[in-house]
Amino acid sequence: MSRVRLAPPFFVQIRSGSVKTRSFQGGIRIDDFKRFTERKPIETLPPPPKAYLPLKQNAGSPPRPVVEIGAEVSAGEVIAAPSGAVSSTLHASVFGKVSAIADHPHPSGADSPAIVIETAAAGNGFSGMEPMVDWEGAAPEDIRARVLEAGIVGMGGAGFPAQVKLEPPPGKKIETAVINAAECEPFLTVDHRLLLEETEKVVAGLKIIMRAAGAARGVVAVESNKADALDRLERALEKEENIFTVLLTVKYPQGAEKQLLKTVADREVPSGGLPADVGCLVHNVHTATAIADAVLHGRPLIERVVTVSGFGLDRPGNFRVRLGTPFSRLLEAAGGPPDGELRLIAGGPMTGVAQRDLGTPVIKSTSGLVVLPPLPRARNLPCLRCGKCLTVCPMGLVPCDLARAAEKGRREDFAGLSGADCMECGCCAYVCPAARDLVQFIQLGKALEE
Ligand code: SF4
Ligand code: SF4
């Protein structure tokens, strides 16, 4: 179905199915592997017998515990409170008793302090917040306070506290709120399913975000491999004057904030800058649904949808689970971990982190669990000077030289090559015929700069 509406000056006018998709310089075109789960409706799993809730679930400072061992808690009750300006709130994700506060494996790969709750055998205690029925007339700071109270962070993977992003920095104005529905990482289909199954909630979340940030305009940017979701969105937005859709080329990393804004708004976020520097704010689809739940229904963030996909799984799918659910339960729901040597990645295969322990829990930013074959053994061969890494770098960097500077500990060379601008998308490593661990070298270089 086509809609003809006037678009703001710097956006293309979108008519579903009738326009060219838009994209950015660099990046790679790879098999998206969405076919494993894109048609699998979201399935809700029961609460785990024990929920492991790491304090570290947001960028910035982790919240501090406000419960003690032995405390009885309802699902939705605050168990850790914000500890600084860039922090968040953490809630019990199950009804039960706090049995430990101790180090536990974390999706980042290191052990980290976690509050462990043993789920009660019977009962279903839940404590939420009062819905904000008058949110359309509410002050932006009251909505931001609700988002903090609900413990919402960027659910696409970054984990940045959502209320901080919603507040325009001093002297800046947010004109446009963008919902990032690119979901450009291979395998992941959480955002796709939410766009299809919770379309109205995504739109409500965007409107609340616009109110909280003072943005006059909203955009939902969708990659063209989600045509069904785009169609549904277009219908939901039919009466909206200030919300637009933009169709994106399927290319990695289309969903990286800088590349997304270049594509959607033709604006370049300066080096070291923020979307607010170009009058924009970007939030993920699942963050928008969580904000809608918190404001409209008084629900804190205690669960999320995770794609479990990859090779050798009998039942890959999209599962809604309580935070703190161990990865082992998700793999069981997907038919059990396949036999043989494998790699389990939390997040997408391009930017995710390899896991070593199936007891590691789902946290607020866990968008996927992907099972991949082991890496080839021959790695880090000498650089061939082929230049492939240069051609795909979406930031216009020279990855081979950055890696060499980092490897040799040449901090000034690394800084001179703008190493800090690397967003660790992995495009360079993906195309490197010498299988060089370019991203790991660049991470090393960034550590030298600190
Ligand atoms: S240098 Fe950084 S930004 Fe450029 S392709 Fe490699 S990982 Fe991506
Ligand atoms: S792609 Fe690999 S081999 Fe080619 S120049 Fe870059 S680092 Fe060297």
Side-chain angles (χ1 to χ4, degrees):
M1 187 176 65
S2 293
R3 288 188 304 141
V4 180
R5 294 185 297 150
L6 287 177
F10 59 88
F11 292 114
V12 281
Q13 186 173 329
I14 296 301
R15 286 173 241 165
S16 181
S18 66
V19 290
K20 276 184 158 177
T21 57
R22 313 188 81 202
S23 197
F24 60 95
Q25 286 292 317
I28 49 177
R29 290 169 198 268
I30 44 181
D31 188 338
D32 66 12
F33 289 105
K34 309 279 190 190
R35 58 188 173 277
F36 291 170
T37 54
E38 66 191 348
R39 292 194 180 81
K40 300 281 182 74
I42 297 167
E43 195 180 318
T44 300
L45 298 186
K50 263 190 191 181
Y52 299 85
L53 294 153
L55 297 171
K56 200 171 111 189
Q57 303 208 29
N58 58 271
S61 13
R64 56 182 166 71
V66 293
V67 288
E68 294 185 347
I69 295 170
E72 293 193 353
V73 290
S74 303
E77 191 172 326
V78 175
I79 54 172
S83 65
V86 182
S87 188
S88 192
T89 315
L90 183 63
H91 304 80
S93 60
V94 295
F95 168 50
K97 190 184 262 189
V98 176
S99 61
I101 303 177
D103 280 355
H104 190 77
H106 185 276
S108 63
D111 284 1
S112 179
I115 299 176
V116 185
I117 304 173
E118 267 183 46
T119 307
N124 190 24
F126 177 79
S127 57
M129 304 164 289
E130 281 298 315
M132 290 178 79
V133 280
D134 61 342
W135 71 267
E136 282 167 292
E141 53 270 29
D142 291 344
I143 298 176
R144 296 195 291 261
R146 166 56 58 97
V147 169
L148 170 63
E149 192 184 358
I152 299 169
V153 307
M155 296 173 75
F160 200 80
Q163 78 282 356
V164 180
K165 264 191 168 184
L166 287 172
E167 184 166 3
K172 311 261 186 233
K173 182 164 169 37
I174 305 290
E175 298 159 2
T176 306
V178 180
I179 295 296
N180 183 353
E183 202 166 43
C184 60
E185 275 266 9
F187 294 98
L188 306 187
T189 52
V190 169
D191 294 346
H192 189 171
R193 290 312 310 178
L194 287 171
L195 284 169
L196 277 173
E197 297 179 40
E198 300 185 4
T199 321
E200 302 292 343
K201 203 186 272 185
V202 176
V203 174
L206 173 54
K207 288 163 124 178
I208 295 166
I209 288 168
M210 289 164 66
R211 173 81 195 165
R217 185 163 50 223
V219 170
V220 188
V222 188
E223 273 195 353
S224 61
N225 54 3
K226 305 175 208 10
D228 50 355
L230 184 76
D231 189 49
R232 206 163 286 190
L233 258 176
E234 293 259 318
R235 274 185 270 141
L237 292 173
E238 213 135 54
K239 295 203 173 64
E240 300 295 337
E241 293 295 322
N242 301 320
I243 302 181
F244 303 86
T245 53
V246 172
L247 193 61
L248 307 166
T249 301
V250 178
K251 188 161 78 161
Y252 180 83
Q254 182 63 80
E257 271 188 357
K258 288 185 179 180
Q259 282 60 37
L260 186 72
L261 293 179
K262 177 67 188 155
T263 307
V264 167
D266 198 19
R267 294 185 172 188
E268 284 193 25
V269 179
S271 173
L274 295 169
D277 293 326
V278 294
C280 294
L281 159 78
V282 181
H283 267 304
N284 160 267
V285 172
H286 208 344
T287 315
T289 62
I291 288 174
D293 272 334
V295 171
L296 304 178
H297 309 297
R299 284 189 68 84
L301 179 54
I302 63 167
E303 62 184 16
R304 69 155 297 144
V305 182
V306 181
T307 297
V308 185
S309 189
F311 300 103
L313 292 169
D314 290 337
R315 285 187 66 246
N318 301 291
F319 301 101
R320 190 185 301 277
V321 292
R322 301 290 174 97
L323 301 177
T325 299
F327 291 167
S328 55
R329 288 181 72 82
L330 280 155
L331 287 172
E332 279 161 27
D339 294 334
E341 209 181 335
L342 53 85
R343 272 185 304 145
L344 181 67
I345 308 289
M350 298 299 290
T351 57
V353 178
Q355 299 299 304
R356 60 186 165 85
D357 191 323
L358 294 185
T360 306
V362 169
I363 62 172
K364 295 175 183 180
S365 55
T366 308
S367 48
L369 274 186
V370 182
V371 178
L372 297 176
L375 284 171
R377 300 214 187 277
R379 299 198 65 72
N380 287 315
L381 305 174
C383 173
L384 306 168
R385 307 301 288 166
C386 66
K388 285 188 176 171
C389 53
L390 277 73
T391 60
V392 298
C393 179
M395 297 302 291
L397 304 175
V398 186
C400 50
D401 288 355
L402 276 172
R404 190 171 310 108
E407 200 178 359
K408 305 272 182 214
R410 295 198 296 248
R411 197 167 58 172
E412 283 177 11
D413 289 355
F414 186 85
L417 289 162
S418 305
D421 284 346
C422 168
M423 57 178 169
E424 300 175 19
C425 66
C427 290
C428 51
Y430 184 85
V431 297
C432 176
R436 293 182 58 72
D437 289 329
L438 296 167
V439 180
Q440 280 88 332
F441 285 128
I442 293 170
Q443 285 169 337
L444 198 72
K446 287 184 182 176
L448 288 175
E449 284 198 306
E450 281 163 8

